[in-house]
Amino acid sequence: MDLEGVLGSSSNPIKKQSWRTVLTLAYQSLGVVYGDLSTSPLYVYKSTFAEDIQHSETNEEIFGVLSFVFWTLTLIPLIKYVFIVLRADDNGEGGTFALYSLLCRHARVSSLPNCQVADEELAEYKKDGNRKGNVGSSLKSTLERCPFLQKVLLVLALLGTCMVIGDGVLTPAISVFSAVSGLELSMAKEQHKYVEVPVACVILVFLFALQHYGTHRVGFLFAPIVITWLFCISVIGAYNIFHWNPQVYQALSPYYMYKFLKKTQRGGWMSLGGILLCITGSEAMFADLGHFSQLSIKIAFTFVVYPSLVLAYMGQAAYLSMHHKMESDYHIGFYVSVPGKIRWPVLVIAILAAVVGSQAIITGTFSIIKQCSSLGCFPRVKIVHTSSKIHGQIYIPEINWTLMLLCLAVTVGFRDTKRMGNASGLAVITVMLVTTCLMSLVIVLCWHKSVLLAVCFIFFFGTIEALYFSASLIKFLEGAWVPVALSLIFMALMYVWHYGTLKKYEFDVHNKVPINWLLGLGSNLGIVRVRGIGLINTELVSGIPAIFSHFVTNLPAFHQVVVFLCIKSVPVPHVGPEERFLVGRVGPKEYRVYRCIARYGYRDVHKDDLEFERDLFCSIAEFVRSETSECILRVVDDPDDEKLTVVGTSSSNLEGVQLCEEDVISELSSKGDNSVELDEIKSTENNKPRKRVRFLVPESQEMDRDTKVELKELMEAREAGMAFIMGHSYVRAKRGSSLMKRLVINFGYDFLRRNSRGPSYALSIPHASTLEVGMVYQV
C-alpha cells in the first residue's frame, strides 16, 4: 500500500537535490535528530522490568517485551512519522507549531490578532483552493465560526509544546543517568549509589554550561559519536544473538505480544510505560525537518537507525533469555549484556551519545520557545544567535538555566531510572497523541482527503498511543506527575500571556484614532515639527495608535518625519527579504507620516538593529520613489486603512534606492554601480561635521521635483537622527470583571509583562533616543 500516494504530499514540493547532498544531510541528521532515539536501549528493558513484571525461565516475558518493542518501532517512527507525518511540512518546517500553522492558514483560525489580507499573498502562504460541497469544507466553516473550537485547537497545540519542553527537562536526566549507571557493574552495590548521581549532575551542569557557545562549534563531532554508538550496539546485539540465542528472531511475531498480555495481565499492561521509551526522540524527526530534508531523514532512519535499534533490542533479549537468575533487578539493564572486556569503552561512548542526544532536545526546546514567542504565546525572551551561518542555532539564557535547575532537581529527586522513565514516557506519548490529532485535521483541511481516511488514521495510531498513554498515566504518583506539573505551569504561563496580549491588542484597536482626527490637525499636526524621525512602535496594522494622540496633545513638538512601525509575526515559517515590508502613507503626502509593517515568520532570524534600521529607512525611500515612477511595486488594498506597498530589504532590491552613509558612497562608486547621486539633495549645515546620508537611485528612473524634495527631507531627518517612541503600558482589568480575570490580568500578565524583554530591535537603542509614553489599558 502506497501510504504517501493515498495521503497526498506537501503543498511545498521538495527541491531536487543531488544524491551527494541528500546523503550528506542524512549523515548530519544522525548527530542532530537521532541522538535521543539511539540511546533508548540504555533504559528500555530496565524500566520495563522495574517491578510490574518479572523475568521467568519460560522467556515469555522477555520475548513479549521484544515483540512489543519491535512493532512499536515499526508502526510509530517508521510508518507514522517516516511515511506520513513528515509529508505534513509547512514549507519545509516541521513540529507541532508547523501543523498548527498549516491549520491556521487553511481554516483561518490563527491566534494572531493582527492578521491582514496582504499576508495571504506571501510566497509561503500557499494553500490549495477550497473545495466546496464536501465534509472538509463543512469542518472548515465550523472551525471558523466557533471560537470555542479555535481555543481548543490552540490549547491542543500548547499542550504538545509544553510536553516538548517537559521532555527537554526529562530526556537529559534519564539519558545521562542511564549512561552513567554502567558504573554499577564495576562497583559494589552500596558504593555506586553514591557515585552515579554526583557524576550525572556534573555532566549535566557541564552540558548546560556549554550551550552559549552553540552546537556549531562541536557539531561536527555529533554524527561520528552517534554512528560509533549505533555501530557498537549493532555489533554487540548481533554477537549476543548468535552467541546466546539465535532463535530470538521468533519473538518478532505479534503472537508473542498476545502471550505476554495473557500471562502478565495487569502487570504487563502497566509495564507498557517502560516499553514506550523505545520511541522517545521520534518526534525529533518531524521537529528538526527544517534543518534537513524529508528524504535525508527517511534514509538515515530506515537504513541506519532502525536496523541498529532492532539488532540492539534483539541482542539484549537473546542474552537475558539465557540468564534467568540475576543477583538483583538492576542487572537486567543494558550493560550486563555487554561483554566485560569492552564494557569501559562502551560506557564512555554511551555517555558521549547521551550528551549528544540531550543536546538535540535542548536545542529543540530553544527553537520551539522561539516559535511560541513569535506567535504571541510566550513572553519575549533574549534570543542569542550562536552562528551567523547556520540557521536555527539559538541560545536562550533564561530557558537554559531554568532547564538545568529542573533537570538537576529531577536527577537528585528521583535517583533511579524507573521514575524518570515513567515521567519521560508520559511526556513522549502525549506529544505523539497531539501530533496524531492535528494530523487528522491536516488530512481533511489541508490535503483535502476524505474524512474516512482521517478517521482511520486517528483510530489506528490513536488506539496504539492511547494504550501506551493509559499505561503511563497509571504511574502518575510514581514519577509521571512531573511532566503533568511542568506542562500545567508552562501552559498557564503561555495562555495568560496570549490572553493578556490579545486583550491589550483589542483595547488598542478599540481606542485607535481615526484618520479624520489627523486630517483636522493640518500638515503640521497642530504642533511644531522639529528635525529628525519619530519612530513610533505599535502593534496596530491600521489606524493611528492612541499613544500618538496622547503624545501630541501633551507636548508642543514632534518630528518632521513620523513612522508608525509594526513588527509582526505571520503564520508562515519564513518571509522572504523581498516581501519583508509593507509601506504606506497615513494622511496626505505633505504630512510626511508613514506606516511600515515589518513581517517575520516564526522561524525567521531578526536582524541586528543597525541593519534593520537601514532596511527600514530604504524601504520608505523606495516607496516614495515608486509612487511616481513607471516601475510600481506590488500594491495591496487594506480595507481598514490606506493602500500599502510591498517593499523588500535593500539587499533584495538592488535596482531600487540604496542608502549611503559616510564612506559607503565611495565603496559603491568604486564598484561601478549603475546609479547616480542626487547632487541637489546634499545636506550640509554651517559646515559642521556630521553623518552624511545620501540616496542612490537607478539612473534610468526619472523623478519629479516633489519626490526629490520628499527624499531630501527624509535624508535630512535621517542625518538628524531617530527617536524611538514606545508605549509603556499598564494593563488592568476593567471594573466589574470577574475575580479570575482580575487575577490573570492584574497579577499574572502584569508580572510577565514587567519581566519580559522589549521589542528585539529596541534592545540596544541608546536611552537618550528612547521615549516611553505611559498608557493605562482597561481591558
Side-chain angles (χ1 to χ4, degrees), residues 27 29 78 80 85 115 194 203 284 287 320 342 369 389 436 450 476 513 541 546 579 693-694 774:
Y27 166 77
S29 71
L78 185 62
K80 176 186 171 182
V85 175
C115 291
Y194 300 102
I203 294 174
L320 295 173
I342 62 172
I369 287 178
K389 298 180 180 179
T436 299
S450 68
F476 183 82
V513 180
V541 294
E579 300 177 305
V693 179
R694 300 186 183 183

Side-chain angles (χ1 to χ4, degrees), residues 6 8 51 92 106 139 150 250 271 282 312 345 371 384 407 563 589 593-594 635 769:
V6 172
E51 64 177 25
H106 283 78
L139 178 60
Q150 295 177 18
Q250 296 176 359
S271 69
S282 300
Q371 293 180 27
V384 179
C407 195
V563 180
K589 180 181 292 188
V593 179
Y594 308 92
V635 178
S769 301

Side-chain angles (χ1 to χ4, degrees), residues 75 182 205 250 322 332 345 484 575:
L75 293 175
V205 171
Q250 296 176 359
M322 304 303 292
I332 206 170
V484 175
V575 175

Side-chain angles (χ1 to χ4, degrees), residues 422 426 429 468-477 480 484:
N422 294 338
L426 184 60
I429 198 62
Y468 281 118
F469 179 79
S470 63
S472 298
L473 197 60
I474 203 69
K475 302 290 187 66
F476 183 82
L477 297 178
V484 175

Side-chain angles (χ1 to χ4, degrees), residues 165 252 261 275 370 403 413 437 453-454 511 527 545 567 623 631:
I165 297 173
L252 302 183
L261 292 177
I275 297 173
K370 178 182 180 295
L403 290 179
C437 295
L453 190 62
N511 291 276
I527 54 178
I567 298 181
F623 164 75
C631 181

Side-chain angles (χ1 to χ4, degrees), residues 70-144:
F70 172 76
W71 286 105
T72 303
L73 275 173
T74 302
L75 293 175
I76 303 299
L78 185 62
I79 303 300
K80 176 186 171 182
Y81 280 93
V82 169
F83 288 104
I84 302 176
V85 175
L86 283 181
R87 302 187 66 81
D89 64 306
D90 182 11
N91 293 282
E93 298 293 338
T96 304
F97 262 96
L99 294 177
Y100 181 68
S101 175
L102 279 175
L103 294 173
C104 285
R105 298 207 301 272
H106 283 78
R108 295 181 184 271
V109 293
S110 177
S111 62
L112 295 172
N114 53 359
C115 291
Q116 295 173 277
V117 177
D119 297 337
E120 298 185 12
E121 298 185 9
L122 291 168
E124 291 197 0
Y125 204 102
K126 295 177 182 177
K127 61 180 182 179
D128 300 331
N130 297 329
R131 303 184 182 183
K132 298 181 179 179
N134 57 18
V135 181
S137 177
S138 301
L139 178 60
K140 173 178 177 293
S141 301
T142 303
L143 277 175
E144 291 177 351

Side-chain angles (χ1 to χ4, degrees), residues 530-534 559-561 613 617 661 683 685 690-693 712-723 769:
V530 298
R531 295 175 59 255
I533 299 177
H559 301 85
Q560 67 187 101
V561 174
E613 187 178 317
F617 193 58
E661 298 178 301
S683 290
E685 182 180 338
R690 60 179 179 176
K691 191 175 185 179
R692 297 185 66 193
V693 179
K712 175 182 178 181
E713 290 191 28
L714 279 175
M715 284 199 319
E716 291 176 346
R718 170 68 173 172
E719 286 185 349
M722 285 189 179
S769 301

Side-chain angles (χ1 to χ4, degrees), residues 421-486:
N422 294 338
S424 181
L426 184 60
V428 168
I429 198 62
T430 304
V431 176
M432 292 182 175
L433 271 171
V434 170
T435 299
T436 299
C437 295
L438 294 179
M439 269 300 304
S440 63
L441 293 176
V442 169
I443 291 172
V444 176
L445 297 176
C446 305
W447 291 352
H448 304 295
K449 301 299 179 181
S450 68
V451 175
L452 179 62
L453 190 62
V455 170
C456 291
F457 176 85
I458 195 172
F459 177 78
F460 181 75
F461 293 108
T463 301
I464 298 172
E465 292 162 358
L467 179 65
Y468 281 118
F469 179 79
S470 63
S472 298
L473 197 60
I474 203 69
K475 302 290 187 66
F476 183 82
L477 297 178
E478 300 175 32
W481 61 269
V482 172
V484 175
L486 290 176

